[in-house]
Amino acid sequence: MDLDVFVMTHRAEWDRLDSLLRRGRGLTGAEADELVALYQRTATHLSLIQSSSPDPMITARLTQLVARARALVTGTRRASWKDAVRFLTAGFPAAVYRSRHWWIPTAVLSTLLAAVIGWWIGTHPEVQAAIAAPEQLRELTRPGGQYETYYSSHPAASFAAQVWTNNAWAAAMCLVFGAFLCVPVLWILFINMANLGIGIGLMSSAGRLDTFLGLVVPHGLLELTAVFVAAGTGLRLGWTLIDPGPMSRRAALAQQGRAAIGMAIGLALVLFVSGVIEGFVTPSGLPTWARITIGIIAELAFLAYVYVLGGRAARAGGTGDVEASERSAEVPTAA
């Protein structure tokens, strides 16, 4: 395609569309019909130029024209409570369900890594000595020591809020950093599993592993599941850059990125629940079996939510992406 000839042929239409857009909503019926027709033609022109003869200046102008025209033609859609209900009952669980092939292996491998680190530290005194001095290790692991008092060192409400903020930030970093070819996500996972493994190793060497698990399991099941989901989603996002599949790399990344944004919102709610458990249940005077039971119930409820509601929504075509009407038009790619 000769770009100069194409621009000369259609410049008048683009100028006319720009003129109509400047007048906004004060158009006659005939002018409104003309605007819609010009909007459709200009969108086609933009696709042709991007797929065959991309020019930055022309593309930028037509992209702006198409965006302005679309906003005027379709109007501004306001979110409602129905959107929130749809997101919580279909969009978010469908996104988690569809990414299960990423976060379930992530969860299994990460848990094994934490167990191996814990075993290594617990069975090698020289490794423990490299972590801290013997007096410090005793202070950490003794009855009433730092591992136990950590969960009751602050008022429950403020502690829950602090835990929620920290965990939500870690999950968000996993989602965002996935776009950097997965490497930062793996590092975040390693740090989290290393910290868990250190606790397992030190408390098991002191003969108090049951106490440690009694403190970690109630909130840790749901909390770590949320982190694994975020990490798996981040890894999937990073892999999209490497292998976008049948879609263009830009379109595939946009689709996965939109789903990841929704995932971040949903996981923030999940982590809020785990933060409440960590702030109010973990340090409570409930017997260990009762605290662990609460954690298991919360975990099973989340998994049922994902596999029942999410599975149903995914089978119905849900992806966690925004509605088709709200997406930007995809540009055809040249073969």
Side-chain angles (χ1 to χ4, degrees):
M1 182 178 70
D2 189 321
L3 183 61
D4 292 334
V5 173
F6 188 85
V7 171
M8 290 180 60
T9 302
H10 298 288
R11 187 190 301 275
E13 293 177 301
W14 304 338
D15 291 341
R16 174 61 176 166
L17 176 60
D18 184 52
S19 175
L20 292 174
L21 289 172
R22 291 179 186 277
R23 291 174 55 189
R25 299 187 178 276
L27 301 175
T28 65
E31 289 173 333
D33 291 339
E34 182 185 7
L35 185 145
V36 172
L38 289 172
Y39 158 57
Q40 294 172 334
R41 286 204 292 271
T42 303
T44 302
H45 298 160
L46 175 60
S47 296
L48 289 171
I49 290 175
Q50 286 185 314
S51 60
S52 59
S53 302
D55 178 272
M57 294 184 64
I58 301 299
T59 299
R61 186 193 178 194
L62 295 189
T63 299
Q64 184 184 52
L65 281 175
V66 169
R68 289 167 56 201
R70 180 179 182 181
L72 186 61
V73 170
T74 61
T76 302
R77 183 180 179 277
R78 294 185 178 180
S80 67
W81 63 269
K82 292 183 179 179
D83 296 312
V85 171
R86 188 182 305 112
F87 170 74
L88 292 175
T89 58
F92 172 58
V96 178
Y97 180 83
R98 289 175 64 91
S99 63
R100 68 192 185 281
H101 299 301
W102 286 88
W103 63 262
I104 290 178
T106 298
V108 172
L109 294 176
S110 298
T111 303
L112 287 175
L113 175 63
V116 169
I117 293 175
W119 168 82
W120 181 53
I121 293 174
T123 56
H124 291 76
E126 67 277 11
V127 178
Q128 300 168 30
I131 294 174
E135 312 81 56
Q136 294 175 310
L137 295 179
R138 282 193 293 271
E139 178 60 29
L140 281 171
T141 58
R142 68 175 177 81
Q146 293 179 22
Y147 270 123
E148 291 185 37
T149 58
Y150 168 76
Y151 296 102
S152 56
S153 57
H154 300 283
S158 62
F159 183 69
Q162 178 184 352
V163 166
W164 176 45
T165 301
N166 292 339
N167 291 334
W169 179 246
M173 286 193 296
C174 285
L175 291 168
V176 172
F177 289 156
F180 295 91
L181 298 178
C182 307
V183 175
V185 179
L186 296 175
W187 177 248
I188 293 171
L189 270 178
F190 175 77
I191 294 298
N192 278 272
M193 293 305 100
N195 288 333
L196 178 60
I198 289 172
I200 292 173
L202 294 181
M203 289 294 275
S204 65
S205 69
R208 307 194 67 235
L209 181 60
D210 56 339
T211 300
F212 180 76
L213 294 179
L215 291 170
V216 171
V217 169
H219 64 273
L221 287 175
L222 189 60
E223 176 184 304
L224 287 176
T225 299
V227 172
F228 294 147
V229 170
T233 303
L235 293 173
R236 184 183 186 185
L237 184 63
W239 186 254
T240 299
L241 282 172
I242 300 171
D243 181 15
M247 304 174 67
S248 69
R249 184 166 281 102
R250 177 179 177 182
L253 187 61
Q255 183 186 72
Q256 295 299 332
R258 289 190 299 265
I261 291 173
M263 192 83 81
I265 297 172
L267 289 177
L269 297 176
V270 175
L271 288 168
F272 174 77
V273 176
S274 74
V276 170
I277 295 174
E278 188 169 359
F280 292 90
V281 176
T282 297
S284 71
L286 292 172
T288 300
W289 67 263
R291 288 185 279 112
I292 290 179
T293 299
I294 291 173
I296 292 174
I297 290 174
E299 174 73 2
L300 292 177
F302 176 71
L303 294 177
Y305 167 72
V306 169
Y307 276 86
V308 176
L309 292 182
R312 182 187 306 155
R315 287 188 291 272
T319 63
D321 198 356
V322 298
E323 297 293 329
S325 59
E326 299 176 26
R327 303 174 202 161
S328 300
E330 293 185 5
V331 178
T333 55

